[in-house]
Amino acid sequence: MFDVHNGGVANMKTWGALIIFTLLAFRSLCADNRPANISELTYEQLKQMFEKDESLADVRIANYTASSVTLIYKGRHLNYELKKLSTSQRIRIDELIAHEKGLGRAAAIKENEAAARAGLLREVDGVVYNLQKLTPDWVTFNNVKVLQKTDDGLLVDIAKSRYDLTLIFVKNLPQYNNAADGDAISFVAKQTGTYTYITRAKVDKTVREYDCGVMPGKAKMPDLVQAPDPKRSALDAKWDSSGTGFFITEDGYLATCNHVVKGGKIFSVRNSAGTFTARVVATDETNDVAILKVTGRFTPLVVNTNILALGQPAFTIGFPNIDVQGLAPKYTDGKVSSLSGIRDDANEFQISVPVQPGNSGGPLTDAGGNVIGIIVARLNDYAALKRMKAIPQNVNYAVKTAPLVTLIRQAGIQAKVQFTSVAEQKDSAVKRVEQAAVLILVSE
């Protein structure tokens, strides 16, 4: 009994040890197969994970410039220098930037709509300001005294003591019609320069000038940046406007700017082969890109997704000022002047390629005739002269290809479009672009 009992105890101990060993081994195996904690990954390991992630579900843009971007991925920040990215990485990140920019513009539109309802959306020299937000270059004046009312504004004493006199000139005051000499008024305004008047003693006096702004759309001066498209067409009285576009597939898909077709109901495109009825198949109002479709076989252009180089040559072929310059395609060339657009817009870039009304939507190509952008806007000479005291020289803008690539994918035609990331040199580049460029006619 004693031996049997001891043997049983020994067996139980053996089996117990074996069970514990098995559980520990299983636990170790599970731990080895468990995915690593994101917080335990090194920076480079996380970047490698991101570059293999096709879903982009957990990715958003924290900040971006014309040359770099900061991403938030799996709760951690990743920094990329755009010029060091591969072509596929750059396309994906450009799409994210375009999406983030779209969200930002949508949010800004909502904010501006709320400010407009409150009367706090004001325009000064073609620039719109939302006064519901912190605006450092605007000044608030409370209970200051109207010294004299003039035909174009008010001379206001802003001195804090009644024994002092500090004058400013204020124009576009919202309550101007109800203001009178001696009134105490409050307002918010932006300093825009100086104002000179003649005192009763016949002496010229110069004071600071402030502008309260006007409601957007009611300014006497046009916007600093304007789209280069005309309001009417000489081809036929039924057409209200025209622009330029270019084929991106052999079976008749073509790209242009959204503002070229916005508001239109009937569309046609015209090239050396004839005039074709067109329909709009996809639009991106935020990034000002649109895709149209006509029936037929055409010569498409290759879309270059390569990173732009400052100073690289570029040219466009379009249909500017057809009322004066005629219906034949026009060639102009220049260089990439900046890798970002007006006010450092990362989705556009500045070019020295001359453009005129009617060039909107035209292809901007590299020396090999591959599309690197879409002509979208030019500085308004009149507004620039007013604001900068100088007429701009060849300051124009194009949309980068990233929003076009995104819209091509949304339209489901990416398999039909040719892409490249190599800047090619081809003798026939100009001829190919001329064959692909079309005049777009729009009727409302």
Side-chain angles (χ1 to χ4, degrees), residues 228-248:
D229 57 330
K231 295 301 181 185
R232 60 191 180 88
S233 167
L235 185 63
D236 192 307
K238 72 177 182 179
W239 300 112
D240 297 297
S241 63
S242 68
T244 300
F246 57 97
F247 286 109
I248 54 176

Side-chain angles (χ1 to χ4, degrees), residues 36-43 46 74 76:
N37 191 322
I38 296 296
S39 62
E40 297 174 357
L41 295 178
T42 67
Y43 183 78
L46 190 63
K74 304 293 186 182
R76 290 172 61 184

Side-chain angles (χ1 to χ4, degrees), residues 334-394:
K335 296 183 184 298
V336 174
S337 304
S338 174
L339 300 182
S340 57
I342 191 166
R343 300 187 183 94
D344 292 325
D345 187 338
N347 221 35
E348 298 178 358
F349 59 103
Q350 182 180 322
I351 55 175
S352 63
V353 179
V355 298
Q356 309 296 331
N359 274 117
S360 274
L364 184 73
T365 71
D366 58 23
N370 303 311
V371 179
I372 59 174
I374 304 175
I375 303 297
V376 68
R378 58 188 290 268
L379 276 190
N380 183 325
D381 293 348
Y382 184 40
L385 180 62
K386 168 71 174 177
R387 183 171 180 177
M388 301 182 295
K389 312 303 181 187
I391 296 177
Q393 300 293 316
N394 286 343

Side-chain angles (χ1 to χ4, degrees), residues 70-118:
T70 301
L71 305 163
I72 299 178
Y73 180 65
K74 304 293 186 182
R76 290 172 61 184
H77 286 73
L78 297 178
N79 298 314
Y80 279 94
E81 195 171 344
L82 295 179
K83 67 180 181 180
K84 293 183 178 179
L85 294 173
S86 67
T87 300
S88 60
Q89 293 168 359
R90 179 63 188 270
I91 291 174
R92 292 165 64 194
I93 290 178
D94 278 346
E95 289 175 350
L96 288 172
I97 291 175
H99 177 68
E100 190 70 20
K101 183 178 177 182
L103 293 177
R105 286 184 173 176
I109 289 172
K110 289 184 178 180
E111 289 177 351
N112 287 346
E113 287 176 349
R117 288 192 294 269

Side-chain angles (χ1 to χ4, degrees), residues 248-265:
I248 54 176
T249 71
E250 290 185 351
D251 61 347
Y253 285 93
L254 63 139
T256 187
C257 281
N258 180 69
H259 75 257
V260 171
V261 297
K262 184 178 180 180
K265 296 179 180 178

Side-chain angles (χ1 to χ4, degrees), residues 183-204:
D183 285 353
I185 60 173
S186 299
F187 58 91
V188 180
K190 182 180 187 300
Q191 185 176 355
T192 54
T194 59
Y195 176 81
T196 301
Y197 66 100
I198 302 176
T199 67
R200 294 176 182 176
K202 306 299 181 183
V203 175
D204 289 347

